[in-house]
């Protein structure tokens, strides 16, 4: 298992994957640890999570540089990711006891009826490389605090991050076995999930990976949460604040090199402001700095892998061949590393890759619409349904239109984002279940009714 710097092609390190005996030992260890961990008082689990927050902040530069080396995230964004992880830990350390408090129900005189929230056991997490710390912490912070134990199968190109996350919980004082990394390939997931010792699973990743996990989990009647792909609309109406919609739109499409499920991918712009918005979008894209991700001046680093960049470029080329208009970008940069420039496509034909597939890189497709009704129609014309961003100066209009958008979350005059205070997740091919907030921490608990006569 190799870690390769996508900015330079340099091999950073080689890791020996866990063999079958090691996986067996870790599953046993998770099971035995759970029996003790579930009995630890919730307040003590919250205190340990506070410790984890401290560990993240104390080591944020080292963890950020590790991320940047392994998957190319610009260093300033990597530092921000570690800080966001610490914030999520702070949130659950403060609110877990409120979220998990007993819920009392109406009952006959003299009786007490309540719902309690018991942990399920070892939870398998199959996580992606694009936010290698945040994706993990946003499952681990709530699920471990609820009394479960975690088994992380991270993406194979970020093994150093996977082991560093194990270090976070160890240094925070969690018992050995409460959070373990499994250095295994994707081919091992099915057998691990089928094991009786694993009680539930969460996955963030591609549609095919999600379907495979859901199929295996379904056979064994295990709870799952899936956060899959997205092709999020970014709707700019005729009364939008164009300055704000432009500034946020550029960030929403290019943050993390455009490698985000909730990135703004389809810009749907009212005809009255279309020409101005497109001209300014192209100019802003061309003004971005693509380069060394270790430099604080860099806006966009390399794509995480040369093969992923090649796949992205094929989607762009096929779309142009089908009739899309390329306004800027569209060719890998002639330099060492997997660098792809910010790209804008307009006049995108129906059915081409830029119209129907998720573009996992800094490529914006722009659609012109005549009115708000057409904007909603175009926004919903996708098999995905993760997030959406809608821009209008009329907040009541925005809230009214938000109800018509088929997505798990709609942000009005703001970019789509994940926030530990609010539920996060999608519908349709974007997955099911919710992460974060009270909903997230309750996804992997037994909501047990207790009737006391």
């Amino acid at each position: 298992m190799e870690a390769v710097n996508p900015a330079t092609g340099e091999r950073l390190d080689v890791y020996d994957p866990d063999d079958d005996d090691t996986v067996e030992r870790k599953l046993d260890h998770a099971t035995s640890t759970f029996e003790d961990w579930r009995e630890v008082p919730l307040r003590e689990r919250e205190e340990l999570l506070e410790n984890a927050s401290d560990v993240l902040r104390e080591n944020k530069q080292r963890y950020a540089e590790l991320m940047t080396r392994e998957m190319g995230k610009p260093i300033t964004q990597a530092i921000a990711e570690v800080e966001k992880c610490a914030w999520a830990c702070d949130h659950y350390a403060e609110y877990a006891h409120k979220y998990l408090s007993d819920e009392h129900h109406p009952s006959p005189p003299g009786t007490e009826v309540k719902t309690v929230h018991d942990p399920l056991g070892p939870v398998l997490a199959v996580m992606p490389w694009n936010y290698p710390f945040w994706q993990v912490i946003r499952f681990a912070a709530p699920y471990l605090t609820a009394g479960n134990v975690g088994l992380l199968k991270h993406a194979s190109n970020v093994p150093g991050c996977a082991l560093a996350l194990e270090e976070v919980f160890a240094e925070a004082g969690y018992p050995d076995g409460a959070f373990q990394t499994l250095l295994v390939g994707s081919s091992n997931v099915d057998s691990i999930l089928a094991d009786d010792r694993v009680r539930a699973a969460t996955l963030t990743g591609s549609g095919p990976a999600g379907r495979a996990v859901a199929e295996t989990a379904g056979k064994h009647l295990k709870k799952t949460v899936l956060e899959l792909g997205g092709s999020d609309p970014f709707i700019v109406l005729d009364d939008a604040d164009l300055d704000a919609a432009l500034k946020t739109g550029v960030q929403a499409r290019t943050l993390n090199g455009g490698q985000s499920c909730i990135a703004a991918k389809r810009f749907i712009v009212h005809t009255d402001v279309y020409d101005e918005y497109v001209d300014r979008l192209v100019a802003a894209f061309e003004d971005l700095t693509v380069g060394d991700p270790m430099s604080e001046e860099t806006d966009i680093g390399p794509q995480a892998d040369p093969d992923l960049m090649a796949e992205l470029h094929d989607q762009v080329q096929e779309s142009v061949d089908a009739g899309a208009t390329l306004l800027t970008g569209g060719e890998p940069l002639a330099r060492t590393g997997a660098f792809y420039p910010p790209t804008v496509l307009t006049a995108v034909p129906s059915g081409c890759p830029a119209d129907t597939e998720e573009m996992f890189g800094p490529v914006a497709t722009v659609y012109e619409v005549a009115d708000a009704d057409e904007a909603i129609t175009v926004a919903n014309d996708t098999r995905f349904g993760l997030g959406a961003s809608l821009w209008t100066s009329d907040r009541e209009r925005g809230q009214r239109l938000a109800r018509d958008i088929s997505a798990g979350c709609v942000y009005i005059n703001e970019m789509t984002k994940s926030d530990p205070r609010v539920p996060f997740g999608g519908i349709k091919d974007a997955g099911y279940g919710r992460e974060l907030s009270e909903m997230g921490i309750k996804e992997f608990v037994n909501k047990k009714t207790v009737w006391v006569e």
Side-chain angles (χ1 to χ4, degrees), residues 228-446:
L228 308 178
S231 188
D232 285 7
F234 190 95
I235 302 169
V236 182
L237 296 180
D238 52 329
D239 62 344
D241 179 338
L242 288 193
D243 290 339
L246 178 72
K247 181 180 179 180
T248 303
V250 171
Q251 181 185 18
R253 175 62 278 197
T254 62
L255 190 69
N256 200 37
Q259 300 164 121
S260 171
C261 296
I262 54 171
K265 299 187 174 84
R266 295 177 299 130
F267 287 72
I268 301 167
V269 185
H270 192 285
T271 188
D272 288 356
V273 295
Y274 178 83
D275 289 340
E276 179 183 355
Y277 192 84
V278 170
D279 288 346
R280 294 178 64 181
L281 183 68
V282 170
F285 269 32
E286 292 177 344
D287 197 41
L288 295 170
T289 299
V290 182
D292 179 7
M294 284 294 184
S295 169
E296 294 185 358
E297 304 303 315
T298 293
D299 298 306
I300 299 178
Q303 301 298 280
D305 180 272
D307 291 339
L308 294 172
M309 184 184 70
E311 182 179 325
L312 176 69
H313 182 55
D314 286 345
Q315 290 175 304
V316 171
Q317 193 59 57
E318 287 178 32
S319 299
V320 172
D321 291 344
T325 301
L326 176 66
L327 296 184
T328 189
E331 288 289 341
L333 299 184
R335 55 179 295 176
T336 300
F339 291 92
Y340 203 81
T343 297
V344 176
L345 297 173
T346 60
V348 178
S350 177
C352 74
D355 180 57
T356 61
E357 300 175 7
E358 180 176 24
M359 305 283 277
F360 217 64
V363 179
T365 58
V366 190
Y367 298 79
E368 182 176 3
V369 294
D371 52 36
D373 288 341
E374 186 181 1
I376 299 302
T377 298
V378 174
N380 291 338
D381 186 21
T382 174
R383 69 181 191 274
F384 299 105
L386 189 52
S389 179
L390 180 118
W391 291 76
T392 173
S393 61
D394 185 338
R395 296 177 67 181
E396 289 187 7
R397 181 192 192 194
Q399 292 181 70
R400 192 168 60 248
L401 293 171
R403 299 298 297 271
D404 296 327
I405 297 174
S406 298
C409 54
V410 179
Y411 282 75
I412 300 169
N413 299 328
E414 176 60 282
M415 64 186 285
T416 306
K417 56 187 177 181
S418 55
D419 182 311
R421 298 168 295 186
V422 296
F424 178 83
I427 60 173
K428 301 192 289 187
D429 282 11
Y432 54 74
R434 292 294 179 266
E435 297 178 296
L436 302 174
S437 76
E438 181 174 357
M439 285 188 186
I441 199 171
K442 288 182 175 177
E443 284 283 10
F444 291 132
V445 295
N446 174 17

Side-chain angles (χ1 to χ4, degrees), residues 47-61:
E47 289 171 352
L48 287 171
L49 194 57
E50 286 181 321
N51 294 346
S53 176
D54 292 340
V55 173
L56 286 162
R57 288 193 172 96
E58 289 165 3
N59 295 280
K60 68 179 180 181
Q61 186 68 34

Side-chain angles (χ1 to χ4, degrees), residues 24 133 146 157 285 354 405 425 438 447:
E24 180 72 16
F133 270 66
N157 61 331
F285 269 32
I405 297 174
E438 181 174 357
K447 299 171 186 175

Side-chain angles (χ1 to χ4, degrees), residues 65-77:
E65 290 176 359
L66 175 59
M67 269 190 273
T68 298
R69 289 194 302 270
E70 287 197 329
M71 54 73 60
K73 187 188 304 288
I75 188 65
T76 54
Q77 296 176 28

Side-chain angles (χ1 to χ4, degrees), residues 92 123-127 133-145 148-153 165 169 178-180 202 204 435-436 440-441 444:
Y92 280 106
V123 177
L124 174 65
V126 182
M127 293 290 112
F133 270 66
W134 171 242
Q135 300 281 11
V136 175
I137 291 296
R138 79 183 195 192
F139 100 79
Y143 300 165
L144 267 62
T145 308
N148 299 296
V149 297
L151 293 162
L152 170 64
K153 185 276 178 240
L165 284 154
F169 292 101
F179 182 94
Q180 298 178 87
T202 179
T204 298
E435 297 178 296
L436 302 174
I441 199 171
F444 291 132

